[in-house]
Structure formats: structure tokens, C-alpha cells
Amino acid sequence: MPLILQNITKHITLTPEEEQLFLSKIETHHFKAKSLLLNSGQVCKHSYFVNSGILRSFNINDNIVEHVLNFACEGWWIGDMYSLISQKPGNLFIEVLEDAEVAMLSKENQEQLYIEIPKLERFFRILTENSLVAYQERLMDNLSLSAEERFEKFCKKYPSLIQKVSQKQIASYIGVTPEFLSKMKSRLLRK
Amino acid sequence: MPLILQNITKHITLTPEEEQLFLSKIETHHFKAKSLLLNSGQVCKHSYFVNSGILRSFNINDNIVEHVLNFACEGWWIGDMYSLISQKPGNLFIEVLEDAEVAMLSKENQEQLYIEIPKLERFFRILTENSLVAYQERLMDNLSLSAEERFEKFCKKYPSLIQKVSQKQIASYIGVTPEFLSKMKSRLLRK
DNA sequence: TGATTTTCTTAATCTACATTAAGTGCCTTC
DNA sequence: GAAGGCACTTAATGTAGATTAAGAAAATCA
């Protein structure tokens, strides 16, 4: 069973016909590392589901500093929710960090599916709820934890990403400079 | 028409019968300033919709420092989404800042309504999407803006709250100490 | 394969914001 | 209407994390 259907059936049950209908609305593509699936200023037309590889979303502040909003690897969804909802130009980039196979669901097909398979409203509601809770926790962590605590939490939460993603990216995700993350790491090792 | 129905019909259309059904699932209560609708460690059983007055949600770090997650005034929803979804004890407090009338929708009634009025899946999906986008922006702001920029943005975004909520609360929301917010304010005034 | 770019490290210096402390005015509550 | 408690201000001092810089290691590329 395709990974994306496994993902959906975690929360709702589809009939074989519905599964086929869903799959027919999905386009799957391969992307090389460093390719951009979405550029800042573009309207986001798709939700992306990662079958393999790694993506990240980030923005760029004052044309200088990058800030990573999210990583997505196998089994994760990613997109620019603001732009996707409003169909206005967003300020996020979505980039491939490691060669990836990505299932793409267009906004139109998604809306169409809501009509043809109303249960999917429930699925995407639950997906969004879970995502919201994660952002909420991350926000509170940024308000209340030190950089070191945030780093330790990241390591526990995403042990596989630590192996795969450069320190620079992780620094950006937890909200410190790469220099400071490097310093923290050696401090933690010395313990 | 009750405020809560106005809120819902911004995104979906209900028949008069559905409106009545919805209202029958809602309990409305008055709360005095300083009362707690939810305590840390409790399971959150309701979504709260504010008809009048002001609420806030916050957590307490290491039994010392409060961090405001959200304010809610007239026409806003508030709750502990983590606890509400998982029905596990959360770490948020929900407190009344200004005497309030609150419409309460219990988790069970909400689930029941999803069955009886499937359109409500759509409504709460949209509500959750919008809330997610707001958290996402706030997170990025915390990663990339200075305290002063965050304060200015807050003033523009919630001009009415500036009047009604103490500086201490606003400082906590934007992630600085009350002393530093006070200093920033006088700095901005001098300009 | 070597050349070039990018990442990572270390260290010195700097700064935005926290902490501590003390004083003022206002709001609550008896 | 006194008294105690909060919210707010101001200022001195402290510090987590940024910035700058420069070299080493690793990855990319021709």
C-alpha cells in the first residue's frame, strides 16, 4: 500500500474505490537535492507528501538570514499553509535537502476530494490539529527554554534528523547561529 | 443572531434547524475576572467562545515564569488544543482577565455535532487552519524579529488589546520581561 | 584529482535583553 | 479611608547568545 494511503488510514478508513480515487488525484515526482519546490513570492498550489528524501521550508529575513520553519522526511506533509489557504503569494521557500520522491496534491484536487470523499475533511482537520499543537509547543519552547534545552529537545524528538541534516539547518530551526550551536555541542560533549 | 452563529456562518451555511441543534449543544456562563476556566494538569473538556470580556491562556515555567499563549476577546475561540485533542492533562491555564460571558462547547458535543452536521468538520478545519497560520507567523516572528519589532507588530495587529490588557500580559505574550517592555515603550515615545 | 565551496570549530568581542533593586502611583479590599 | 498589594518606571549590573574572524575539515564539482 502506498505510504500516503497508510498515512491517511491512520485517521480515517477509505473504501478501495475511495483509495483509487484519492491516488488518481495525486502526482508523484522525483526531485534532486537543492531543487526548489516553492519559491518565496509564489502562490503555493500543492500540499507535498514526502515518500522518501528530505525537504525543508524556510523564509529569508531582510534578504540575509534564513529561518527554517520545518523539515519533512518520509511520511510527512509539508507546504506553505498560509499561501495554500489564501492562494496569495507566500514568503516561504520549500527546498529539497536530500533527493526526494514527493506525492503532490493540488489545491483544486484537494477541494474536489472534500466533495467526493467528505471523510477527508476529517483527515485534514486532524492533520491540521496535530500540526497546530506542534507549532504551539514549539512557540512556547522558544518563549521559555534556553537554546541548550531547545537543542536537547530537538535531539530527542527527531533523532534521525540529527544524522541527516546539517548542523547549520538545525541551528536555524531551533533559532540560534551555527557558531553558537557548535559551541553548545562541544559544551554538552564535555559533560 | 447569537455571536457564535455569526462566527460559524462566516465559513459555512447552516439551516435554521442546524442552528438550533448547534445552540442546544452550547452552554453559556458568566465568569468573574480572575476565575480559572482551566487549570494546568486538568484535561480540557471544552472549547470556549468568548461572547464578551477577555480571557487568556498561559503556562507556567518551573513554577515561576508565566508565558501567555493567547488572548481571546469578543468573537474569539480559546482552549487547550493539545489537551482537547488527546484528552490528556495539559499544561495550560485559562483565566478570565475581564468579566466574561463564554459559550462552552464540550468535546463530546463537538464530536456528536461532527456526526449530526458534517459541515462542521469543515468549519473547525478552517478555524484550525487559520489558527495554525497565525502560530506559524508568530513563531517565525519570534525567530527573526527583535523585541521592538514584535511589540510594534502586536500593536498594529491588536490595537484594542493594548487598551484593555496590562503591559505585563503583553510583555509575556511577545516574550520579554515587563521591565524591558517598559523601557522599549519610553524609547519609542521619545522618537 | 585537485580546486573550490561549504560546513564546522574555536575564540575574542559585542549587544539585546534579563535580573535585581528601589521608588511611585493606583487599585483592591477590609 | 487606611493598608497592602500590583502594575509600572528607571537604572545599575549581568549574561545568553550574536557577531566577527580565521583556520580546519568535509563535501561538491570540474
Side-chain angles (χ1 to χ4, degrees), chain B:
Chain B
M1 186 194 259
L3 195 57
I4 197 167
L5 286 182
Q6 291 177 41
N7 185 262
I8 289 172
T9 51
K10 274 183 202 164
H11 296 300
I12 59 172
T13 309
L14 296 180
T15 66
E17 297 76 44
E18 286 168 339
E19 289 185 352
Q20 280 324 109
L21 178 58
F22 183 87
L23 288 178
S24 75
K25 303 283 190 181
I26 292 282
E27 273 184 69
T28 300
H29 289 285
H30 284 266
F31 296 96
K32 286 276 167 205
K34 294 188 187 171
S35 38
L36 271 189
L37 303 202
L38 181 70
N39 207 318
S40 170
Q42 284 183 337
V43 173
C44 183
K45 304 278 192 197
H46 297 86
S47 300
Y48 303 102
F49 178 85
V50 180
N51 282 321
S52 67
I54 307 181
L55 310 187
R56 67 161 178 153
S57 60
F58 64 101
N59 73 10
I60 297 188
N61 203 234
D62 301 327
N63 290 314
I64 307 177
V65 193
E66 290 182 8
H67 290 278
V68 172
L69 179 61
N70 271 312
F71 299 111
C73 43
E74 204 177 304
W76 286 80
W77 291 87
I78 197 167
D80 179 346
M81 186 64 111
Y82 164 76
S83 176
L84 207 51
I85 292 175
S86 65
Q87 288 295 291
K88 293 183 199 160
N91 53 17
L92 288 184
F93 299 79
I94 297 180
E95 188 200 47
V96 180
L97 289 180
E98 212 174 67
D99 292 10
E101 186 188 278
V102 179
M104 296 166 61
L105 173 59
S106 72
K107 167 93 171 173
E108 300 93 70
N109 283 349
Q110 187 165 351
E111 297 287 351
Q112 193 56 44
L113 282 168
Y114 284 148
I115 296 167
E116 293 170 349
I117 313 176
K119 269 178 288 185
L120 283 174
E121 288 268 10
R122 162 168 287 255
F123 171 71
F124 283 104
R125 174 179 60 76
I126 292 171
L127 200 67
T128 308
E129 282 174 356
N130 290 335
S131 175
L132 183 147
V133 167
Y135 280 118
Q136 197 169 297
E137 184 177 356
R138 191 165 156 213
L139 176 63
M140 290 312 251
D141 286 350
N142 275 283
L143 289 175
S144 60
L145 302 183
S146 70
E148 207 165 303
E149 289 168 321
R150 274 177 276 142
F151 176 57
E152 284 175 328
K153 203 161 172 180
F154 182 91
C155 294
K156 269 185 208 148
K157 199 160 181 178
Y158 306 108
S160 64
L161 279 178
I162 296 286
Q163 321 297 331
K164 292 184 196 158
V165 168
S166 75
Q167 239 169 269
K168 193 186 165 190
Q169 301 300 333
I170 292 167
S172 169
Y173 181 95
I174 65 174
V176 297
T177 57
E179 292 86 353
F180 191 67
L181 178 54
S182 174
K183 189 193 251 179
M184 283 198 297
K185 266 189 69 177
S186 67
R187 199 159 60 201
L188 287 170
L189 281 176
R190 246 176 280 128
K191 283 184 190 171

Side-chain angles (χ1 to χ4, degrees), chain A residues 7-8 11-12 119-127:
Chain A
N7 186 262
I8 290 173
H11 296 300
I12 59 171
K119 269 177 288 184
L120 283 174
E121 288 269 9
R122 162 168 285 256
F123 172 72
F124 283 104
R125 174 180 59 77
I126 292 172
L127 200 66

